């Protein structure tokens, strides 16, 4: 397994949003990003910035109850998954997971650690961590390119 890790620190909602925006502006069709972090750590803020980087103007919220939200008005479609509430990986087949992940849009999957066994062999993992001792708004963001080929 090949790993290439970048580390970032943010100290505000705006900085986390901006890091997401920069990543969204650089991504390409077929890219897959996994987003991992505790509840309330800023995954949705990061995703809102990511969507803005794709040129998406719609309001972006976490699709916790729908599992998948599709935004197709940006420069490439965004498939935003939140798999926190899935009971079994087989549920992902029912929503057509593979056709999105291997499609022409970009996939961003929150709580992807719950479905690791069906992730593609190449993806970018984004892990957002809090450290209260460094401040309430402090986040460490680790971006790791994963290649399991």
């Amino acid at each position: 397994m090949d790993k290439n890790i970048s580390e970032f620190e943010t100290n505000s909602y705006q900085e986390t949003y901006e890091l997401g925006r920069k990543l969204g502006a650089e991504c390409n069709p077929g890219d897959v990003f996994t987003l991992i972090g505790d509840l309330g750590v800023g995954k949705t803020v990061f995703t809102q910035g990511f969507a803005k980087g794709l040129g998406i103007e719609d309001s972006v919220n976490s699709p916790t109850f729908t599992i998948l939200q599709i935004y197709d008005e940006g420069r490439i479609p965004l498939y935003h998954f939140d798999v926190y509430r899935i009971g079994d990986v087989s549920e992902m087949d029912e929503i057509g997971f593979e056709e999105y992940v291997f499609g022409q849009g970009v996939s961003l999957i929150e709580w992807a650690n719950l479905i690791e066994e069906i992730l593609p062999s190449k993806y970018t993992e984004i892990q957002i961590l809090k450290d209260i001792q460094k401040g309430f708004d402090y986040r460490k963001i680790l971006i790791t390119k994963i290649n399991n080929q």
Side-chain angles (χ1 to χ4, degrees), residues 24-130:
E26 296 170 358
C27 67
N28 297 301
D31 285 350
V32 175
F33 296 86
T34 64
L35 197 49
I36 298 169
D38 292 336
L39 286 169
V41 80
K43 293 184 299 294
T44 300
V45 169
F46 185 92
T47 301
Q48 289 167 339
F50 190 91
K52 187 70 164 180
L54 286 169
I56 295 168
E57 298 296 329
D58 276 356
S59 176
V60 173
N61 296 301
S62 190
T64 301
F65 295 100
T66 58
I67 300 177
L68 171 63
Q69 191 71 22
I70 300 170
Y71 302 93
D72 56 10
E73 76 275 10
R75 63 180 177 84
I76 51 179
L78 171 61
Y79 308 127
H80 180 201
F81 294 87
D82 183 332
V83 300
Y84 183 72
R85 296 197 182 279
I86 70 154
D88 187 86
V89 173
S90 64
E91 290 178 45
M92 299 305 288
D93 288 338
E94 295 170 20
I95 61 168
F97 179 73
E98 283 192 5
E99 73 184 64
Y100 292 111
V101 169
F102 296 108
Q104 291 304 303
V106 59
S107 297
L108 190 125
I109 309 163
E110 293 189 40
W111 300 99
N113 50 309
L114 301 174
I115 60 164
E116 281 180 336
E117 61 267 33
I118 62 169
L119 291 175
S121 58
K122 291 172 119 181
Y123 61 92
T124 301
E125 178 183 277
I126 301 161
Q127 187 174 14
I128 304 177
L129 306 164
K130 286 197 272 189

